[in-house]
Amino acid sequence: MAQETFAFSSSALRSLRLQRELLEREERRRALARESATRRFLPEPPRPPRRPQYCRDPAVHNALYTGDLLRIKSIFKDETTTNLVMETVSEELVWEPEQGLWVLSPRRQQTSALRIAAGRGYSDCARHLLLRGAEVDAVVGGRAPLHDCAAAGRPDCARLLLAFGADPNVLSAEGAAPLHLCTAPDSLACAELLLAHGAQVDLGTRDRQVTALHVAARQGLAAHVELYLRHGADPARRSRQGETPLNAACAAAERPEDAERFCRVAERLLAAGADPGAAGRKDHTPLHNACGNGQPGLARLLLRHGADATVPNCAGYTPLDCALHAVDEYRHQRPEETIALLLDHGAGPVHPKMLKFCCRHPPALELVLNAYDRIPPAESWVGAVPPELWQEHREFYSSAARMAGQPRRLQHLARCAVRRHLGARCHRAVPKLSLPPPLRRYLQLPLQGTLS
């Protein structure tokens, strides 16, 4: 049988080639679809951990710390270089008990290029590193770049990192999120950015379970406290030690110049529903802390919101006892104001052993002694008064020692009976009594400089 052939025209051949290419393309598309579906249901094999590479070159470190963009562009060109661990080694003195002397020991500190650039606000340098493959959430040297932005108050770099997908809840080696490191007034913008990108406002640190609200309250940052409360922070949330944000604020208000800002913090927390009587560590209430720090304004605020002036802590000390312990340290800040405030809110006479803590400040000692209907023996405090102070206030100390153990005047006994009857209502009931003004004033334990 003769072999038959068929001649194709050029247009027919082009049509056949085009059809074959389309068929091959469709086959490749189906193969990719099958591979993608397989990956979706089968876990990817774990990647081997990348072995860190270190850079100890001072010239490279200097380019990063000074924000030299041209040098940075010439050094960091790919993913490998941008993720180098920047390591510095310094010598520090360490005591060696076996040798009995101080020796120099190397101290290594590690960070990343992105941490340095972002923490110092070099946004152009940080953008270059990110575009060249820097890992945005890499925790190097204990922190991620976003931690450094929050701690240093660098909102521009924080915004850049978040735009590149940084996790607003990334934890440091110590278990703190970036929001926990917003500890200065200029970090407010960073806190706002973190919350806008999904930071958990009530996230606690890993070990102590301290929230951002605890941190802001402890630092006296009223604007931060207001921001967190607006985003749903819980003012009753307790740390692992049992501290509420209000406890933290009152415990941190240690200096007289801090009084105003900590009062603003306490006002916002109390307005949000914080419990003024919540006992924290060692059963200290916020009032115990405020009195122990010599803060009459803070104590007045807490008492106005219902704090109990008579509740003891785990050692049996009342807020008045704490105020007496602080008299010597804060004697130049009128500690008698706090004592008078507590006595007007129901605090009773203290144990005689507490008199030695306030005896070197005559106004405080006078107030406390006038709370007794019979002054206790002077042996508990008279020996603690320095001779030069006794000479300076001889009239008061002599009258106090003379009246010790002796019955007081009937007028004073009547005052004690009225105040005992009114109890915690003294501060608001005494001014309303239908009595002559001098007598109302006498009921409020005015300072006279002597006892009779």
Side-chain angles (χ1 to χ4, degrees), residues 320-339:
L320 182 54
D321 294 325
C322 293
L324 295 181
H325 276 107
V327 164
D328 197 46
E329 182 177 358
Y330 298 102
R331 61 182 180 274
H332 300 300
Q333 278 76 45
R334 297 181 61 82
E336 63 271 17
E337 292 183 9
T338 304
I339 295 171

Side-chain angles (χ1 to χ4, degrees), residues 71-112:
R71 289 289 310 278
I72 288 173
K73 285 183 175 180
S74 66
I75 296 171
F76 300 96
K77 298 180 178 179
D78 53 28
E79 185 177 350
T80 301
T81 54
T82 56
N83 289 298
L84 289 171
V85 176
M86 304 294 142
E87 186 175 71
T88 58
V89 181
S90 59
E91 301 288 339
E92 65 176 6
L93 284 172
V94 178
W95 176 255
E96 284 289 344
E98 295 180 358
Q99 302 180 32
L101 50 86
W102 293 88
V103 297
L104 286 173
S105 176
R107 180 187 178 190
R108 299 180 184 274
Q109 291 183 316
Q110 296 178 351
T111 184
S112 66

Side-chain angles (χ1 to χ4, degrees), residues 82-234:
T82 56
N83 289 298
L84 289 171
V85 176
M86 304 294 142
E87 186 175 71
T88 58
V89 181
S90 59
E91 301 288 339
E92 65 176 6
L93 284 172
V94 178
W95 176 255
E96 284 289 344
E98 295 180 358
Q99 302 180 32
L101 50 86
W102 293 88
V103 297
L104 286 173
S105 176
R107 180 187 178 190
R108 299 180 184 274
Q109 291 183 316
Q110 296 178 351
T111 184
S112 66
L114 186 57
R115 276 192 62 189
I116 297 172
R120 279 157 181 75
Y122 302 140
S123 54
D124 291 340
C125 300
R127 183 178 291 105
H128 170 78
L129 294 169
L130 288 165
L131 291 173
R132 293 299 180 274
E135 295 181 8
V136 71
D137 283 331
V139 177
V140 181
R143 287 184 176 181
L146 202 53
H147 290 107
D148 291 328
C149 287
R154 306 292 186 185
D156 291 340
C157 287
R159 187 180 293 107
L160 176 67
L161 294 172
L162 291 166
F164 273 82
D167 180 6
N169 298 303
V170 60
L171 295 181
S172 68
E174 296 179 349
L179 207 58
H180 296 123
L181 301 183
C182 294
T183 58
D186 58 3
S187 66
L188 181 62
C190 288
E192 292 173 338
L193 281 169
L194 291 166
L195 290 168
H197 285 79
Q200 299 176 32
V201 72
D202 273 336
L203 179 66
T205 55
R206 183 187 299 125
D207 296 330
R208 298 176 57 203
Q209 288 301 304
V210 171
T211 67
L213 189 59
H214 283 92
V215 174
R218 186 173 63 241
Q219 298 296 328
L221 303 175
H224 288 66
V225 167
E226 191 168 352
L227 172 68
Y228 299 151
L229 290 172
R230 204 163 55 239
H231 281 78
D234 183 6

Side-chain angles (χ1 to χ4, degrees), residues 257-294:
E257 57 268 29
D258 295 337
E260 185 177 351
R261 61 193 182 98
F262 278 104
C263 277
R264 290 200 301 270
V265 167
E267 283 176 352
R268 284 160 174 76
L269 291 170
L270 289 165
D275 181 6
R281 189 170 60 91
K282 297 182 179 179
D283 288 339
H284 269 55
T285 67
L287 187 58
H288 282 93
N289 291 322
C291 294
N293 288 331

